[in-house]
Amino acid sequence: MSITSEEKIGRKPFELLFDQRRLATVIAELADRINADYADQTPVLLGVLKGCFVFMADLIRQIQLPVEVEFVSASSYRHGTTQESELAFNGPLSIPLTGRHVLIVEAIVDTGRTVDTIRKRVDVLEPASVEVVTLIDKPASHRVKLDIKYKGFSIGNEFVIGFGLDNTQRYRNLPFVGKMIDLQ
Ligand code: IMP
Ligand code: MG
């Protein structure tokens, strides 16, 4: 068994940013707006895996509308926590979205390239509407022009983990959002 440096020094490499109560409050507010804006409609919630799974599970349980749930899998292969990344999708978007009200569900928007690319792939299918909901936005990091209608939190350029978000595939199971810190 390998011992990571964090275990060796007995300290966590992250600190609390948003606790469970704050997350629940903000997610309930997002759901309220969605309930009002999509009244009498059956939107398709299109989750962006993997990060969305915790946020989306909480969000849909606060939505009192008939909704359909679909997922798209996008991986941005990045080197550590830097912004250099390459986007990879699991094949073409083959979900029938023509004439549907589509709500793209992201956990975090950083450069905005992932959401922008997915939105363009949805647009060609001629949906009735497309909007984006993200739990966390990093507005200063956007590299493309984006219209994000629903956002839970705005943060700076810190790297955050937990509540579905990973650092090299770890920490997704933390029930809160933390930010990575340098333990040096
Ligand atoms: P974008 O395409 O640069 O907007 O990147 C979005 C994707 O990068 C997200 O779906 C996450 O997978 C990942 N990402 C960006 N910032 C963070 C962060 O602070 N913590 C964890 N993952 C992040
Ligand atoms: Mg990731």
Side-chain angles (χ1 to χ4, degrees):
M1 197 181 80
S2 72
I3 299 170
T4 63
S5 57
E6 82 197 59
E7 283 156 346
K8 257 186 260 169
I9 51 184
R11 278 173 62 203
K12 303 277 186 216
F14 56 81
E15 61 186 30
L16 179 66
L17 187 59
F18 305 128
D19 67 16
Q20 287 168 270
R21 263 180 57 182
R22 188 136 179 238
L23 286 159
T25 303
V26 164
I27 292 169
E29 286 167 2
L30 289 172
D32 282 349
R33 289 179 55 203
I34 292 165
N35 283 324
D37 293 351
Y38 291 88
D40 304 321
Q41 289 164 354
T42 304
V44 179
L45 270 57
L46 181 63
V48 184
L49 291 171
K50 298 174 191 171
C52 77
F53 77 109
V54 177
F55 169 48
M56 191 154 166
D58 280 5
L59 182 72
I60 55 166
R61 284 179 291 172
Q62 303 283 335
I63 293 181
Q64 284 119 32
L65 301 166
V67 292
E68 293 177 22
V69 174
E70 299 285 355
F71 294 98
V72 56
S73 183
S75 315
S76 50
Y77 295 100
R78 59 183 68 219
H79 314 288
T81 57
T82 69
Q83 278 202 343
E84 295 312 310
S85 64
E86 244 175 79
L87 264 188
F89 289 95
N90 275 352
L93 191 53
S94 54
I95 304 160
L97 296 174
T98 306
R100 303 301 305 273
H101 293 284
V102 179
L103 187 52
I104 299 169
V105 183
E106 252 288 21
I108 191 160
V109 175
D110 185 14
T111 66
R113 289 193 190 107
T114 305
V115 153
D116 187 54
T117 305
I118 292 169
R119 194 181 185 131
K120 284 177 177 144
R121 290 169 71 127
V122 170
D123 276 342
V124 297
L125 302 173
E126 300 186 351
S129 68
V130 190
E131 298 295 350
V132 176
V133 55
T134 188
L135 180 63
I136 300 171
D137 186 27
K138 299 184 182 179
S141 301
H142 292 186
R143 293 293 172 268
V144 289
K145 201 178 170 304
L146 282 181
D147 178 18
I148 303 172
K149 186 164 183 182
Y150 307 98
K151 59 175 87 172
F153 299 93
S154 289
I155 63 171
N157 66 357
E158 54 264 52
F159 196 86
V160 293
I161 43 89
F163 213 72
L165 292 167
D166 75 304
N167 182 17
T168 59
Q169 300 306 326
R170 288 187 57 189
Y171 308 117
R172 293 190 196 274
N173 56 317
L174 294 176
F176 53 83
V177 172
K179 68 174 173 193
M180 297 301 287
I181 47 171
D182 198 347
L183 286 179
Q184 286 355 305

